[in-house]
Amino acid sequence: MEKKPYEKLLERISDSQSLPPKNKQGITDFLNDEHPGNVLFTKWSEPPLIERGKGMKVWDVDGNEYIDCIGGFSTMNIGHGDQRIADVLSEQYMKLAHWFDFPTPERLRLVRRLIEMSPGSYRKKVRLMLSGSDAVEMAIRTARNYTRKTHIISFYGAYHGQNTATMGFTGAGSMHRWFNPVPCADHCIERFPYAYCYRCPYEMEHPSCDMHCVKVIDKMMSTGQTSLGNPYANVCNVAAMIVEPMQSSSGYIVPPDEFLVRLRELADKYGFLLIFDEIQTGMGRTGKMFASQHSGAVPDITLLGKALGGGVPMSACIARAEIFDDLAPGYTVSTYAGSALGCAVSNKVLDIFKEDGIVEKCAQTGEYLEKAVRKYSEAHPIVGAYSRKGVFLGIEYVKNRETKEPAPKETMEIVDAARAKGLLAQMNGYHNNRISFVPPLVITNSDVDGIFHILDRSTSEIEKKYGMV
């Protein structure tokens, strides 16, 4: 009888000669008491058990120190262990921790700040939620309600959540298989290739392609022989398009700036809403508060999450006011959405961004990071390409630069070798051959040097092992 996934993982952990004792016991307990379906084992062969963090660093239960380039998946942008957040948590808890999904002073203040800081000069309204998936679901549901249309356009390689309402918009086949079927994917979803220029599915080159990936969508919508509509009968069935300004979970891929501009033009041409999912890319990571600001394209709905709460679950759907205006009482409810505690922390996070000049510092560090990653890529033939904005960085690994053949096995070994040396980063990508670096935004030039010191050594080891040097 074939062994179950958790049994195979238990054997791997038990046989490990490199995992220190407390880490080994903790991961064993995790597999015995929870389940292997957690994302943990998709990132490392032998994952660490993290106990505490401060600034850019985290420590495991055995006391080993790591440079954190996971950052709670772009959640801990202000760094770990900020005393200012701890003080606000304590003060607000004693004042009012929670008052259901009802307004409080902290909530009203946060909503006003989100309206003022988000892209678009139009009148806006906000719905606060808990997770990114919640925000996506709210955006899609409200877009359909507002437009009275059904279809949603999303992109291959996208990640917009993993619950029943959002799984269809996420382009991860390994996740889809567990839903059997995927309800949202089976009803009015159309997907198109993202502007992933290194591996263009149309085998074209930017900029001579003239954004062919957007032209394809236009061509499909211009005919009356798709479910998207029929312009000859003045029919558009598309309620909205949802897109990440830069794709995150598929490898930190940065499209050309004109990609979003052309999508905005497409939305205006056919009359559907444009939703920017800034749940990972927002809150300063790309060197601007919102990744879309690099292009100047303005959405109808902006989604925030992750770093907004500084470690406390918080998300937001910020939309043109008219999209929300006709909703009647009882349209939505969520017990912990917009909690007094979460809103107080989010307000303090925004204060810290301003007080510490985090976005500006991130942009400056990004310039230093560019020099470091360029030097690294030139030194290592296994590096096929990289993409970066601010400290939003993804590196792609290949067996051969000419053929671009993906190197997934080698990539995982680089990630594992870096972990063993004190650097935590994650493997992902369309072919499991990219490494994403998601550090807290308190990262300094010295931290960048530390990252590439470890990454350079780890990469050299794997290149030598596979005869690439």
Side-chain angles (χ1 to χ4, degrees):
M1 184 175 179
E2 185 177 357
K3 293 180 180 177
K4 295 184 181 297
Y6 88 94
E7 293 173 324
K8 296 177 182 178
L9 292 171
L10 275 172
E11 282 188 0
R12 182 198 300 175
I13 296 302
S14 177
D15 293 342
S16 172
Q17 301 299 310
S18 59
L19 270 178
K22 290 183 180 179
N23 274 267
K24 179 178 283 193
Q25 184 60 56
I27 298 301
T28 299
D29 291 344
F30 168 76
L31 287 169
N32 280 321
D33 298 338
E34 294 196 39
H35 58 75
N38 186 284
V39 72
L40 182 68
F41 277 93
T42 68
K43 303 305 176 186
W44 300 279
S45 299
E46 297 178 353
L49 185 61
I50 300 302
E51 183 176 38
R52 62 189 177 91
K54 185 69 176 176
M56 269 288 298
K57 302 290 183 64
V58 292
W59 289 263
D60 67 23
V61 289
D62 286 288
N64 297 305
E65 180 181 287
Y66 303 90
I67 300 173
D68 178 18
C69 282
I70 300 293
F73 283 88
S74 201
T75 296
M76 304 310 297
N77 285 16
I78 63 171
H80 298 279
D82 193 304
Q83 185 62 47
R84 292 168 290 185
I85 297 295
D87 292 342
V88 166
L89 275 169
S90 176
E91 179 183 346
Q92 184 61 44
Y93 183 84
M94 295 308 297
K95 182 189 295 183
L96 178 68
H98 187 48
W99 171 232
F100 192 58
D101 190 1
F102 296 147
T104 62
E106 288 290 345
R107 180 170 178 160
L108 296 174
R109 179 172 177 244
L110 176 61
V111 165
R112 173 47 51 188
R113 296 175 81 175
L114 293 176
I115 287 171
E116 292 172 352
M117 66 185 268
S118 56
S121 58
Y122 46 78
R123 190 171 68 94
K124 303 169 192 166
K125 288 192 174 180
V126 177
R127 169 60 182 168
L128 296 178
M129 307 294 285
L130 285 173
S131 70
S133 297
D134 290 343
V136 170
E137 179 178 354
M138 174 57 58
I140 298 300
R141 179 183 168 203
T142 306
R144 282 174 165 158
N145 177 78
Y146 173 70
T147 63
R148 300 296 191 263
K149 296 176 182 178
T150 52
H151 284 60
I152 306 294
I153 296 175
S154 65
F155 291 85
Y156 294 110
Y159 184 87
H160 298 296
Q162 196 193 359
N163 59 26
T164 303
T166 62
M167 188 69 249
F169 309 113
T170 292
S174 58
M175 293 180 181
H176 276 229
R177 67 172 292 217
W178 301 106
F179 281 73
N180 301 320
V182 183
C184 199
D186 296 332
H187 300 285
C188 305
I189 304 295
E190 299 286 346
R191 302 173 194 82
F192 290 93
Y194 194 78
Y196 176 16
C197 297
Y198 182 68
R199 294 189 183 276
C200 176
Y202 303 108
E203 297 186 347
M204 302 184 78
E205 296 285 338
H206 181 266
S208 60
C209 66
D210 192 27
M211 298 312 300
H212 183 74
C213 52
V214 179
K215 284 186 171 182
V216 167
I217 306 174
D218 192 3
K219 287 179 180 179
M220 296 304 293
M221 294 195 70
S222 70
T223 172
Q225 298 302 313
T226 76
S227 61
L228 297 172
N230 183 348
Y232 299 102
N234 197 31
V235 171
C236 176
N237 294 326
V238 178
M241 171 188 285
I242 184 168
V243 61
E244 297 165 279
M246 298 169 193
Q247 282 197 336
S248 298
S249 291
S250 58
Y252 274 46
I253 294 165
V254 178
D257 285 344
E258 68 251 46
F259 179 58
L260 296 184
V261 174
R262 299 284 282 271
L263 293 181
R264 176 71 266 175
E265 293 171 354
L266 200 65
D268 293 338
K269 178 178 179 179
Y270 291 100
F272 57 78
L273 300 179
L274 186 60
I275 303 169
F276 285 170
D277 181 341
E278 295 258 17
I279 292 164
Q280 278 207 53
T281 58
M283 298 298 293
R285 178 155 303 279
T286 67
K288 292 184 181 293
M289 196 58 155
F290 296 88
S292 63
Q293 291 173 323
H294 290 280
S295 68
V298 176
D300 301 292
I301 300 175
T302 298
L303 306 180
L304 276 182
K306 293 189 180 291
L308 177 62
V312 175
M314 283 291 295
S315 64
C317 176
I318 310 163
R320 290 182 179 275
E322 60 267 26
I323 296 171
F324 281 132
D325 276 345
D326 66 346
L327 303 184
Y331 176 81
T332 184
V333 63
S334 177
T335 301
Y336 281 99
S339 71
L341 199 64
C343 289
V345 170
S346 295
N347 276 317
K348 177 48 72 172
V349 167
L350 295 181
D351 290 342
I352 291 171
F353 262 78
K354 185 176 181 180
E355 293 166 7
D356 294 0
I358 286 180
V359 177
E360 295 78 11
K361 289 179 180 177
C362 177
Q364 292 169 3
T365 304
E367 294 176 4
Y368 187 83
L369 177 61
E370 173 66 28
K371 297 175 184 177
V373 69
R374 187 187 304 124
K375 180 180 178 181
Y376 166 77
S377 65
E378 291 171 351
H380 294 284
I382 195 173
V383 176
Y386 68 88
S387 50
R388 183 205 63 82
K389 284 283 188 182
V391 299
F392 181 99
L393 172 66
I395 302 176
E396 180 147 350
Y397 297 87
V398 296
K399 295 178 183 292
N400 183 292
R401 283 183 174 177
E402 295 299 319
T403 65
K404 299 183 182 180
E405 180 184 356
K409 181 179 180 181
E410 294 85 346
T411 304
M412 176 58 93
E413 291 188 26
I414 292 172
V415 169
D416 283 337
R419 177 198 57 77
K421 294 177 176 61
L423 170 63
L424 299 181
Q426 61 166 323
M427 182 199 74
N428 49 26
Y430 282 59
H431 300 279
N432 292 332
N433 68 321
R434 288 178 73 94
I435 299 178
S436 296
F437 297 83
V438 198
L441 305 190
V442 295
I443 183 174
T444 65
N445 291 356
S446 178
D447 294 322
V448 171
D449 290 340
I451 290 167
F452 280 93
H453 175 68
I454 294 174
L455 189 61
D456 184 68
R457 291 161 54 210
S458 301
T459 305
S460 293
E461 288 178 8
I462 304 308
E463 286 177 324
K464 183 176 180 181
K465 176 179 177 180
Y466 289 98
M468 294 183 176
V469 290

